Amino acid sequence: QVQLVESGGGLVQAGGSLRLSCAASGRIVSINTMGWYRQTPGKQRELVASITSGGSAVYADSVKGRFTISRDNAKNTVYLQMNSLKPEDTAVYLCNADIWVRYLGSPLNSWGQGTQVTVSS
């Protein structure tokens, strides 16, 4: 019923920048909080940043001052601008959203399949 598709990942040198995008599609009525998580082998999945429908954002301490989350409600899209990238930022980045779908009585928590970000030294 709902699909989240991430884009913008890739290989970048330390100190460089990437901009991730996540577009939601399907039988969407509205979207509440959207966020970005990252996952590496042997580590817990961690919240990188999230943003409410009203634009209030939170960030992991490790990315504060370097990453910026934003959203375009008209396009059902959330972005993650990543600057001053470090090798430790290397991970699969996954999009998450709470989405109200037509004919459902509660929000659906949806995940994208992830996009790989690799930062070289």
Side-chain angles (χ1 to χ4, degrees):
Q1 292 182 310
V2 175
Q3 185 177 24
L4 298 177
V5 179
E6 302 98 334
S7 62
L11 176 64
V12 66
Q13 290 181 288
S17 298
L18 285 173
R19 188 186 189 222
L20 306 183
S21 299
C22 172
S25 62
R27 302 166 67 179
I28 298 170
V29 175
S30 63
I31 303 177
N32 295 336
T33 300
M34 305 184 78
W36 289 94
Y37 291 73
R38 63 187 180 188
Q39 179 75 58
T40 58
K43 297 178 64 177
Q44 296 183 36
R45 181 175 296 178
E46 66 171 339
L47 175 67
V48 178
S50 66
I51 185 168
T52 68
S53 60
S56 297
V58 297
Y59 298 90
D61 288 341
S62 60
V63 306
K64 286 182 178 177
R66 300 188 297 120
F67 291 9
T68 302
I69 190 170
S70 61
R71 64 190 287 170
D72 186 335
N73 291 331
K75 297 181 179 180
N76 292 324
T77 300
V78 63
Y79 307 93
L80 186 67
Q81 179 66 47
M82 303 185 293
N83 298 326
S84 302
L85 282 162
K86 305 174 181 179
E88 50 262 45
D89 294 319
T90 296
V92 174
Y93 284 72
L94 302 106
C95 179
N96 176 260
D98 289 318
I99 305 173
W100 284 92
V101 180
R102 270 180 283 178
Y103 311 122
L104 293 183
S106 61
L108 181 67
N109 189 255
S110 302
W111 290 90
Q113 293 188 344
T115 184
Q116 177 70 47
V117 171
T118 302
V119 184
S120 62
S121 300

